[in-house]
Amino acid sequence: MKSTATTPQAYLESLAEDRKNFVGAIRDVLLKNLPEGFEEIMAYGMLGYVVPHSIYPKGYHVNPKLPLGFINLGSQKNNVTLHHLGLYQGELLPWLQENWALHSKKKLDMGKGCVHFKKLEDVPLELIGELATKLTAQKWV
């Protein structure tokens, strides 16, 4: 569900109470663990974590007016989705797949570059936090 909120806070406030806590918990982990250089914005109707133009003036190659996207977090109809554009960079995907079973009893539910969660208790927050640390803004550029 694409949101029309213009700020991350407005986005969270627009969610139903259960989703507000769900998305908020993952957001808190991302904000705590993302390396310096990433910025939180609204992007594509979701929370977006991007490399701002102040670090990478060229922006997103398809539309240089947009900052370089890295992670998006959104409340969808049937789940909460974490889009991580760096999963197919180097060894991140195998690392996530290998470590998932150590942190979660639920099977890894993935699409292309995204992880879907049905319930907050199914989210391995510690693992998501560690995943967020794996690429710096400079390496992502």
Side-chain angles (χ1 to χ4, degrees):
M1 299 181 302
K2 190 173 180 179
S3 173
T4 58
T6 57
T7 67
Q9 191 59 40
Y11 177 76
L12 283 177
E13 290 171 4
S14 73
L15 299 176
E17 200 61 37
D18 61 327
R19 287 294 179 98
K20 190 181 301 185
N21 294 333
F22 193 164
V23 172
I26 299 170
R27 176 187 185 228
D28 290 345
V29 166
L30 291 173
L31 289 172
K32 180 179 175 187
N33 289 284
L34 277 169
E36 191 174 316
F38 291 104
E39 182 178 289
E40 182 183 51
I41 65 168
M42 286 300 298
Y44 305 102
M46 300 176 277
L47 297 175
Y49 302 90
V50 301
V51 178
H53 285 107
S54 60
I55 292 175
Y56 188 62
K58 293 180 182 180
Y60 177 56
H61 74 279
V62 173
N63 182 351
K65 293 179 182 175
L66 296 175
L68 181 62
F70 181 55
I71 293 176
N72 284 76
L73 175 62
S75 177
Q76 308 298 316
K77 182 178 180 182
N78 296 315
N79 56 53
V80 169
T81 301
L82 176 75
H83 301 266
H84 191 303
L85 300 175
L87 280 179
Y88 295 99
Q89 176 105 2
E91 298 298 316
L92 278 186
L93 182 58
W95 176 87
L96 178 63
Q97 292 169 326
E98 288 170 18
N99 285 281
W100 187 267
L102 303 173
H103 291 85
S104 179
K105 293 178 183 174
K106 293 287 181 177
K107 181 181 174 200
L108 179 59
D109 181 4
M110 286 192 69
K112 287 191 176 188
C114 61
V115 181
H116 306 288
F117 304 105
K118 298 278 187 196
K119 299 181 218 165
L120 177 56
E121 52 269 14
D122 296 339
V123 181
L125 291 171
E126 183 180 316
L127 184 66
I128 298 303
E130 191 173 345
L131 175 63
T133 69
K134 295 290 185 183
L135 283 175
T136 65
Q138 290 72 23
K139 280 187 181 177
W140 181 235
V141 168

